[in-house]
Amino acid sequence: ALLRMAAAAETDVSIPDYVGLEAYRQAGGYQLLQQVRIGTLNTDQLIATLGDAGLRGLGGAGFPAGKKWQIVRSYPGPRLMSINGDEGEPGTFKDRIYLEQDPHRAFEGALIAAHAVEAERIYLYMRDEYPAVLAILRQEIAALEATGIVKPGFIELRRGAGAYICGEESAMLESIEGKRGMPRHRPPYIAEVGLFGRPTLNHNVETLWWIRDIVEKGAQWFATQGKPGHPGIRSWSVSGRVKNPGVKLAPAGVTVRELINDYCGGMADGHEFKAYLPGGASGGILPATLGDIPLDFGGDLAKQGAFVGSHAIVVFSRADNIKQVTLNLMKFFKHESCGKCTPCRDGTEKLVALLQEQGLMPEDKIRDLEMVMRDSSICGLGQAAPNPVNHLLTHFRSDL
Ligand SMILES: Cc1cc2nc3c(=O)[nH]c(=O)nc-3n(C[C@H](O)[C@H](O)[C@H](O)COP(=O)(O)O)c2cc1C
Ligand code: SF4
């Protein structure tokens, strides 16, 4: 309660109950970090454990976490680390929940990762629309410094200014450097030339949040919680026409039908399941007839031209018109396109215009544009932006 009052007084926002530093340490927190720092657990063991657990990046791309540590370590130091707390993918709210409940679990994971890649400093890029999270982080970083767990300034908090593109990791680094947030050309990847030109390890908040549990409870504990062939437990941000939306802990490989029925208490009253976004705005729109596909990176979802990304599931019902949903998503991409490359800057604008044309939609023009955007946009925003349009034309013709 004292922590809450102190943080609230500083920022005038309502701070939820959360596990502060003292409570976290009393429950065994930061002992793992200590073991890592004194060498009882070495980096090779840590990387092997993350690999056996099957921990993948949970910010959207799903890159194996341990492998990323290895790649960053392979480039000569000095190295840096960044934490991506931008949480900009529409429908995603898991990082917020974790940071509002148990922020030190993410900090401990981050400090272990920083030790593993010998990062000199951690830059934490935080979504500014989460004022309670920002207040908690300020408070708890100060507490970590006061106890000597980190040196003053080792974790630097940076506020994002609300641009979706600043969640894309290279644009985020530009933003941290004080420049306009625009993605960089790759290669080189940020693991080699990242923040201020240094090799940089970047992770999503939730990826780091799982590290303590995985090492303490074991790689097998984590891996076996997934469905067969889909290692791991995942945090699904479920919203839309369900009875009980929220962050649901469910296996990797769960289906949307299981999420709706077994985790969300079914559809909202009076609504019949029609369609869903499997991965926020970017992952496409699938019909209820494809509601039994295992949700995970790659696999059957990829065969449908869809992806799970940050695990944001938005459920639609017969009350929703999918052409209107698609138009809404396209307007979002048009607004958030950073404008650096022509296929995305002009393509998103053109797709919005084509969707708004009266009469029959010019499908051949839309398909042509879709291919150009996918093949030649610089970053994931422009490459994924046509996904909903593709699915609209493939699965929802009666809504055209
Ligand atoms: C347009 C776009 C927006 C993104 N937004 C976020 C975001 O808000 N948070 C995040 O963690 N990753 C986001 N990503 C993914 C990051 O580029 C990167 O893959 C991720 O932070 C890596 O961390 P991880 O390996 O722990 O997932 C975004 C990617 C794209 C293309
Ligand atoms: S694809 Fe879009 S968001 Fe990405 S660099 Fe090009 S214009 Fe910017």
Side-chain angles (χ1 to χ4, degrees):
L2 269 178
L3 286 173
R4 271 208 334 268
M5 276 165 57
E10 191 187 313
T11 58
D12 204 21
V13 292
S14 145
I15 309 294
D17 259 325
Y18 70 94
V19 183
L21 180 56
E22 210 179 300
Y24 184 75
R25 289 181 88 182
Q26 271 168 13
Y30 289 112
Q31 284 175 16
L32 181 64
L33 175 66
Q34 181 62 11
Q35 282 176 35
V36 169
R37 282 181 172 169
I38 62 176
T40 318
L41 249 174
N42 68 39
T43 301
D44 290 339
Q45 288 168 313
L46 281 169
I47 289 176
T49 303
L50 297 188
D52 292 343
L55 179 67
R56 302 178 66 153
L58 297 166
F63 194 83
K67 205 164 162 188
K68 194 174 341 187
W69 295 15
Q70 234 162 3
I71 294 171
V72 173
R73 276 166 60 85
S74 73
Y75 294 109
R79 307 182 191 97
L80 290 170
M81 183 172 166
S82 57
I83 304 174
N84 191 339
D86 201 51
E87 193 147 72
E89 187 63 47
T92 316
F93 42 88
K94 66 200 173 66
D95 295 346
R96 171 185 177 175
I97 298 293
Y98 286 133
L99 292 177
E100 282 186 354
Q101 292 176 352
D102 197 2
H104 285 286
R105 205 166 279 271
F107 278 133
E108 184 163 10
L111 291 170
I112 290 169
H115 180 90
V117 301
E118 294 158 15
E120 286 191 344
R121 202 162 191 199
I122 299 174
Y123 288 80
L124 168 46
Y125 193 80
M126 200 61 228
R127 183 181 178 87
D128 204 43
E129 293 92 326
Y130 291 170
V133 171
L134 282 164
I136 290 170
L137 293 178
R138 280 191 203 103
Q139 178 86 21
E140 298 308 312
I141 290 170
L144 280 173
E145 290 178 351
T147 52
I149 293 174
V150 298
K151 288 201 196 90
F154 185 79
I155 302 175
E156 185 165 325
L157 185 61
R158 293 294 186 97
R159 293 156 56 202
Y164 173 59
I165 195 57
C166 287
E168 192 283 333
E169 58 186 14
S170 66
M172 181 187 77
L173 298 190
E174 291 285 295
S175 174
I176 293 173
E177 288 180 5
K179 301 173 194 153
R180 186 170 166 186
M182 283 181 157
R184 296 177 182 170
H185 280 283
R186 279 152 287 204
Y189 290 90
I190 65 161
E192 182 182 4
V193 183
L195 194 52
F196 305 114
R198 311 261 198 91
T200 301
L201 177 71
N202 169 56
H203 269 308
N204 168 257
V205 168
E206 189 199 350
T207 315
L208 299 166
W209 201 87
W210 283 113
I211 289 172
R212 177 178 163 199
D213 261 353
I214 289 174
V215 180
E216 283 184 355
K217 297 181 183 168
Q220 282 312 302
W221 164 82
F222 187 79
T224 53
Q225 292 198 62
K227 298 261 178 151
H230 303 275
I233 183 105
R234 303 274 167 80
S235 312
W236 305 87
S237 309
V238 189
S239 63
R241 310 280 196 183
V242 291
K243 202 165 270 170
N244 305 312
V247 174
K248 312 289 170 183
L249 270 181
V254 71
T255 69
V256 71
R257 221 179 287 282
E258 289 167 335
L259 281 171
I260 295 170
N261 295 329
D262 304 342
Y263 294 85
C264 298
M267 293 292 289
D269 289 341
H271 288 277
E272 194 187 329
F273 178 34
K274 173 177 175 177
Y276 65 108
L277 308 185
S282 318
I285 312 178
L286 296 179
T289 48
L290 294 175
D292 297 308
I293 293 181
L295 300 175
D296 200 352
F297 299 107
D300 289 347
L301 208 49
K303 284 184 200 145
Q304 296 294 337
F307 58 77
V308 78
S310 59
H311 296 64
I313 310 291
V314 183
V315 177
F316 299 107
S317 79
R318 301 241 159 253
D320 303 305
N321 178 289
I322 302 304
K323 185 175 173 189
Q324 291 309 314
V325 172
T326 305
L327 181 60
N328 186 305
L329 296 173
M330 284 316 306
K331 283 181 176 169
F332 169 77
F333 288 126
K334 175 187 164 190
H335 186 257
E336 295 296 337
S337 167
C338 81
K340 180 166 180 165
C341 63
T342 310
C344 169
R345 183 187 60 241
D346 288 357
T348 50
E349 186 173 334
K350 194 79 188 153
L351 277 181
V352 168
L354 290 171
L355 282 170
Q356 285 176 320
E357 270 188 23
Q358 299 299 319
L360 278 181
M361 285 194 1
E363 290 191 30
D364 48 344
K365 277 192 202 164
I366 292 180
R367 288 296 188 192
D368 188 40
L369 197 49
E370 181 193 334
M371 191 177 68
V372 172
M373 291 173 72
R374 229 182 264 294
D375 290 351
S376 55
S377 292
I378 290 178
C379 85
L381 190 154
Q383 291 157 9
N387 281 344
V389 183
N390 168 33
H391 290 136
L392 171 70
L393 296 181
T394 311
H395 300 295
F396 302 97
R397 302 203 63 86
S398 58
D399 280 10
L400 290 182

